[in-house]
Amino acid sequence: MQIRPFQPVDEESVIVLWERCELTRPWNDPRRDIARKLAEDPSLFLVGVEAGTVIASAMAGYDGHRGWVHYLAIHPDHQGQGLGTSLLAAVERALQARGCPKLMLMVRNEHPELVEYYRRQGYDDGDFVTLGKRLIADD
Ligand SMILES: CC(C)(COP(=O)(O)OP(=O)(O)OC[C@H]1O[C@@H](n2cnc3c(N)ncnc32)[C@H](O)[C@@H]1OP(=O)(O)O)[C@@H](O)C(=O)NCCC(=O)NCCS
């Protein structure tokens, strides 16, 4: 799998990937999410390509204090081959190169099994609760 920055031509395949990976939610319009990322700092929005097809994505960013990664996705036909691990490692390297001291990610409560996956990648729970407030409604 070749890892490279997202390009606008990838939009449809990335949205199909997110749908296959069940990462889309009615309150997060994927097109608006992509447009916002491209307008802000697209450099850490990565895709994984194999034989010309987008099979992976990771949308990361650095706010000056923490890095965050969202939409980590490996196409179901390619899961379990270590691709998620190597894409996450690529995100970590890119953030580290920018001087980002810590990478954060969120796991939905409906996927508790993923917490174990991330623990094995060196992530821990931390002594905090993540809170959020919607500022723009997408639905
Ligand atoms: C989670 C995800 C990115 C992992 O990518 P992947 O390429 O399948 O993972 P890897 O091959 O690197 O997995 C390494 C290990 O994690 C395990 N693993 C993978 N997905 C897992 C899951 N959903 N739950 C628990 N363990 C998982 C693998 O069995 C493997 O274990 P092993 O090394 O002991 O054999 C991928 O399964 C995915 O896209 N899932 C759907 C979207 C999603 O939930 N994204 C995360 C949002 S927070």
Side-chain angles (χ1 to χ4, degrees):
M1 178 178 75
Q2 182 213 349
I3 298 171
R4 62 158 171 79
F6 172 93
Q7 296 165 3
V9 69
D10 300 324
E11 179 170 289
E12 280 312 309
S13 6
V14 165
I15 292 171
V16 169
L17 171 71
W18 291 351
E19 285 166 351
R20 280 298 308 273
C21 289
E22 298 179 3
L23 289 178
T24 50
R25 293 292 180 277
W27 54 89
N28 287 332
D29 178 341
R31 284 182 177 75
R32 293 181 78 179
D33 265 3
I34 290 172
R36 290 181 187 118
K37 182 63 177 163
L38 297 183
E40 189 61 24
D41 174 14
S43 60
L44 293 172
F45 185 9
L46 303 178
V47 293
V49 180
E50 197 173 89
T53 304
V54 173
I55 60 161
S57 74
M59 186 191 274
Y62 176 38
D63 60 20
H65 182 59
R66 297 284 183 246
W68 283 88
V69 60
H70 308 282
Y71 288 117
L72 181 71
I74 303 296
H75 189 284
D77 292 349
H78 299 267
Q79 288 176 9
Q81 302 168 19
L83 298 180
T85 303
S86 58
L87 183 54
L88 193 54
V91 168
E92 291 170 5
R93 282 195 302 274
L95 284 162
Q96 215 175 343
R98 291 193 181 194
C100 170
K102 188 174 182 186
L103 177 54
M104 313 288 292
L105 54 84
M106 287 181 276
V107 176
R108 290 193 176 280
N109 287 330
E110 68 209 54
H111 290 300
E113 76 283 357
L114 277 175
V115 173
E116 209 37 58
Y117 171 77
Y118 288 116
R119 281 202 188 108
R120 285 202 301 274
Q121 313 280 341
Y123 291 75
D124 57 43
D125 300 42
D127 189 17
F128 49 76
V129 175
T130 304
L131 303 178
K133 180 178 180 179
R134 189 93 211 173
L135 302 178
I136 299 173
D138 278 2
D139 48 3

